[in-house]
Amino acid sequence: MLSHPWVVYAITLLRVRIDRARNAPTRGASAVEWVIITAIIAGVALGLATLIRNLVEGKQSEISNQFGGGGGGGDGGGFEP
């Protein structure tokens, strides 16, 4: 059965593909490297965005506390002598 032409062809085709995969330059590795680098950059950007947001919210509450809770509105700016 292993001497059937289709089986011999399939085995030869698989051997050629395996040999190409083993001896081919690492084209797929560069794609993986780009994915890893992109993930690291995205993580750093997300961390910085969270840090900046927390700092801004902290300063906002600090300023709000210094002014006693913010503006209470006005009466329209009418002048009273």
Side-chain angles (χ1 to χ4, degrees):
M1 172 141 171
L2 291 177
S3 62
H4 190 277
W6 286 106
V7 175
V8 172
Y9 175 75
I11 291 173
T12 306
L13 182 66
L14 286 173
R15 284 184 182 165
V16 168
R17 288 189 173 243
I18 290 170
D19 187 50
R20 281 187 195 166
R22 286 183 179 164
N23 296 326
T26 57
R27 291 184 300 180
S30 64
V32 173
E33 290 170 357
W34 277 108
V35 169
I36 291 171
I37 291 169
T38 304
I40 290 171
I41 291 172
V44 169
L46 184 63
L48 285 174
T50 304
L51 176 68
I52 291 171
R53 179 180 174 195
N54 290 339
L55 289 173
V56 169
E57 286 177 350
K59 284 293 183 182
Q60 178 185 5
S61 65
E62 181 182 323
I63 291 170
S64 177
N65 289 338
Q66 286 179 355
F67 283 106
D75 61 350
F79 178 73
E80 294 185 27

